[in-house]
Amino acid sequence: MTLVYVLNGPNLSRLGTREPDVYGAETYADLVTLCEETGRSLGLKVEVRQTDSEAELIGWLHEAADGRVPVVLNPAAFTHYSYAVRDAVAMRTAPLVEVHISNPAAREEFRHTSVVSAVASGTVTGFGLRSYVLGLHAVATG
Ligand code: DQA
């Protein structure tokens, strides 16, 4: 069974209570269940992780690169300014799909820039938690 990491950056553990008008009412636990169930239906073994630490996220990206593990990544706020996360993504050895729950292009100006997109395989934004489902479909087929 193909292993896939679903990696989440800062504040995503707060889903459900964090700005529900933007991110919805579903919790981080709901996200984990959704990703695991989607993985099962696609024949993938999905491992979902979340961290508020840039260093930890970079460590997980190194682990994915070393193991040739495909990744669905929501870098959260790191998306907009972390060249360190971008450089770690650039080392990828398997498909990596950048996902966002909201549509950053339709929000504040500082969210319009992703320093990660250019080194990802592709990006899915704006579909709520379904962005992860679409991202998992993309890594399963490509
Ligand atoms: C986000 C969008 C980012 O701008 C924000 O900092 C997040 C979540 C999203 O999933 O919509 O933390 O990545």
Side-chain angles (χ1 to χ4, degrees):
M1 213 185 248
T2 305
L3 175 65
V4 175
Y5 293 158
V6 176
L7 304 181
N8 293 284
N11 301 307
L12 290 167
S13 60
R14 311 284 298 173
L15 287 175
T17 51
R18 175 192 185 195
E19 299 179 85
D21 47 319
V22 177
Y23 298 111
E26 286 165 299
T27 64
Y28 178 71
D30 294 332
L31 172 64
V32 173
T33 302
L34 176 66
C35 290
E36 288 174 350
E37 281 175 358
T38 303
R40 260 194 296 280
S41 75
L42 293 169
L44 306 171
K45 184 182 166 9
V46 172
E47 197 174 309
V48 188
R49 302 179 187 172
Q50 187 278 330
T51 183
D52 294 331
S53 155
E54 188 177 25
E56 188 168 34
L57 181 58
I58 289 166
W60 291 343
L61 290 166
H62 292 172
E63 201 183 307
D66 289 344
R68 301 189 180 281
V69 179
V71 175
V72 171
L73 172 67
N74 186 341
F78 292 147
T79 308
H80 311 301
Y81 66 89
S82 176
Y83 297 124
V85 169
R86 178 205 162 98
D87 285 351
V89 170
M91 286 181 232
R92 66 186 176 77
T93 53
L96 182 146
V97 179
E98 176 188 351
V99 299
H100 297 282
I101 298 165
S102 66
N103 177 3
R107 300 180 62 197
E108 303 96 318
E109 188 86 35
F110 75 90
R111 296 185 204 274
H112 297 182
T113 299
S114 168
V115 300
V116 171
S117 297
V119 287
S121 312
T123 304
V124 182
T125 69
F127 295 99
L129 297 192
R130 278 197 306 132
S131 293
Y132 289 79
V133 174
L134 297 168
L136 283 165
H137 276 263
V139 293
T141 55

